Amino acid sequence: MIGKTREYPKEIMILEAIVRRFPRDDFKKAEFERKLYRKRAGYKGEKALDYFLEQVDHSEMVILNDLRIPINSTHFQIDTLIITPYFLLIIDSKNYAGTLIFLPEFNQLIRIQNDIEEVFPDPILQTKNQAYQLKTFLKKHSMTPPPIEYLVAISNTQAIIKNPTNDREVSYRVFRSSNVAFKLPLFYQKHTQSLLSKNDIKKIARHLVKAHEPLIPDPKSMNLPFNKMVKGVQCPACEAFGMDYHQGKWTCKNCGHKTGDAHIQALRDYFLIFGSSINSKQFRDFTNVKSSSTAKRLLTSMDLNFFGTTKGRTYSPGKNFFD
Ligand SMILES: [Zn+2]
């Protein structure tokens, strides 16, 4: 069963809002676009692995996706954790494109793409460290972990994987995501002793899910040009900003598209960039709604929590506002 689903990362939502509303002539926009591209590729790789894992028999295992667990003064992250009665298995997904050359002797992964050579941290060493940290965490919470295995999944189907030194660890631990159903049996053959009861498995899963702290980066630490971020309601059809609100509908000045709820995405962007609180005046300023009674009607029609009296009232996202 899936003990923890993979959710669309808040970090990517924040980057999307920033890129959408970044002043177009600011050279720093490209830096955020690159970061967003990289994060989306990583997420896509994780989803690709999820897809192939869904086709494996789940009955005896619990799968926890996307864990970020505090340890000492830092965190360790696990893309996918599979808990079986015999072993735990960490899978780290990499969605790198190009030619990937594993050189474990120096803990290096070389990537060649478009004649550009780059070095990445050794993903086998990364997952090995995750295994070590997971073991430490479980012991600290008085749980005796069974053997912890680790794998590196290459999700990009275009990637060329090379292991020039014929390193056994590389051939054992690196695999293509599509091959996961054939990789798992190797570990069942290696670890045959049932060490965890159903209750033990549940206990481990519960502890990890409880300790999970999602990464929510703070835009205030990103040096954004806050005063120049693009305001207005964006047209979902042509992406132009500055839709007008008349008689219950948003109308695009650029393409004429009409829609009822384009202010929801605008408000999401506002919360993601400026923080999770807005008052009526700020909402009117951001969406260019002139009338305060219209603003109030729009604000109270959305899944928002509000605080304070009529005049100083502030609104913040409700539980499902970002779903
Ligand atoms: Zn439009």
Side-chain angles (χ1 to χ4, degrees), residues 235 237-240 252 254-257:
C235 170
C238 75
E239 300 187 349
C252 177
N254 186 46
C255 75
H257 181 74

Side-chain angles (χ1 to χ4, degrees), residues 178-234:
S178 53
N179 208 30
V180 69
F182 306 100
K183 204 71 193 173
L184 289 179
L186 299 181
F187 298 111
Y188 281 101
Q189 284 156 23
K190 186 172 163 191
H191 306 287
T192 51
Q193 200 187 345
S194 180
L195 297 165
L196 297 178
S197 67
K198 267 188 183 162
N199 269 336
D200 296 333
I201 293 179
K202 270 191 203 156
K203 193 178 160 198
I204 290 178
R206 206 171 48 232
H207 263 87
L208 288 167
V209 171
K210 205 175 152 206
H212 168 68
E213 287 177 2
L215 174 67
I216 303 174
D218 183 3
K220 290 192 180 65
S221 66
M222 295 181 192
N223 256 323
L224 297 176
F226 282 106
N227 322 327
K228 291 197 220 146
M229 298 301 271
V230 179
K231 290 179 193 173
V233 170
Q234 189 179 30

Side-chain angles (χ1 to χ4, degrees), residues 286-319:
F286 195 68
T287 55
N288 200 27
V289 168
K290 301 282 188 302
S291 133
S292 58
S293 61
T294 305
K296 193 183 173 192
R297 198 171 64 244
L298 289 172
L299 282 165
T300 49
S301 72
M302 290 181 274
D303 176 28
L304 300 175
N305 301 319
F306 58 88
F307 308 92
T309 50
T310 328
K311 210 139 185 238
R313 182 169 282 179
T314 60
Y315 300 80
S316 65
K319 204 165 158 265

